Amino acid sequence: MKVLIADTIHTAAEPGRIVEADLTAAGATVIVRLAAGELLADAVLREAPDLVIVDMARPDRDGLEDIRHIARHDPRPIVMFVDHDDPAFMEAAIEAGVSSYNVVGASLPAIKPVVQAAVAMFRRYRQVESSLHKAETSLRERDLIDRAKAILIRQRGIGEPEAYRWLRRQAMEQSRKLAAVAADVVAADKNKGKRP
């Protein structure tokens, strides 16, 4: 597992609070750190880590924009550690795409269970998101097919079963999805209505 650490409080003398030995024990095989001044989204794009750890001295809302970008364009598990409790920031962080939000004060908790929980939560979220996307796509396709059938019924004076069979036959003959053929029927009817 490749881990990218964005640690806002480390210095040259002290490599931050994230203990790399604990990460190795948690399954990390490669650990890279965010370079000074580098945007987190750029580092994620370059390193393609399996897990991102953001360690903040203080809750920082500016950093959330980078996390939103990652969640939208290159989603992966993100663990965040902050020193101070801020419920509003916690909600904003989770909404931005943080998988695990941890208020740790002066000392970090055991990292392994935090990492495991973050990865599991991320996978579960992605499954739910994928299922929702499939359901939304199915509903859109069902709506297109219903609209196309209504148009065929009106234009050809046929019944609903015959309209459906016509759509299926066109889809088979053209080796296309039924919804794609239905979309063509709907678009053609719409364009026909625009002609002078």
Side-chain angles (χ1 to χ4, degrees), residues 4-187:
L4 171 66
I5 299 174
D7 189 339
T8 64
I9 60 173
H10 78 274
T11 66
E14 179 188 352
R17 299 181 314 154
I18 300 296
V19 181
E20 296 187 5
D22 285 355
L23 284 172
T24 302
T29 53
V30 179
I31 298 173
V32 291
R33 286 186 177 272
L34 188 68
E38 185 178 26
L39 292 176
L40 181 58
D42 292 342
V44 167
L45 183 64
R46 185 189 67 245
E47 298 291 345
D50 301 302
L51 174 75
V52 177
I53 294 179
V54 179
D55 187 14
M56 292 182 167
R58 297 286 184 276
D60 175 10
R61 292 180 185 280
D62 291 342
L64 294 185
E65 192 51 44
D66 251 3
I67 292 173
R68 283 191 193 91
H69 181 86
I70 294 166
R72 278 196 302 267
H73 302 287
D74 200 5
R76 58 200 62 238
I78 300 175
V79 175
M80 178 175 281
F81 294 108
V82 295
D83 281 355
H84 298 278
D85 188 19
D86 182 340
F89 181 77
M90 177 191 68
E91 288 188 24
I94 291 172
E95 185 180 336
V98 168
S99 310
S100 174
Y101 180 88
N102 306 274
V103 180
V104 295
S107 60
L108 286 173
I111 290 179
K112 186 173 182 178
V114 172
V115 167
Q116 290 174 330
V119 171
M121 287 293 292
F122 176 77
R123 288 178 180 159
R124 178 66 184 144
Y125 174 78
R126 296 291 290 172
Q127 286 174 350
V128 170
E129 194 176 54
S130 175
S131 296
L132 180 61
H133 177 71
K134 286 178 183 173
E136 289 174 344
T137 300
S138 178
L139 281 174
R140 280 197 300 271
E141 290 180 351
R142 184 82 257 157
D143 178 61
L144 265 177
I145 292 167
D146 286 345
R147 289 167 57 196
K149 284 191 299 187
I151 291 167
L152 292 172
I153 290 168
R154 173 172 45 86
Q155 287 179 343
R156 298 171 178 238
I158 58 179
E160 189 271 342
E162 194 173 349
Y164 184 68
R165 282 195 294 272
W166 186 90
L167 288 169
R168 282 191 61 189
R169 188 168 56 251
Q170 293 298 312
M172 289 172 56
E173 290 175 1
Q174 299 171 23
S175 298
R176 301 172 66 202
K177 289 185 70 175
L178 188 62
V181 174
D184 286 351
V185 172
V186 172

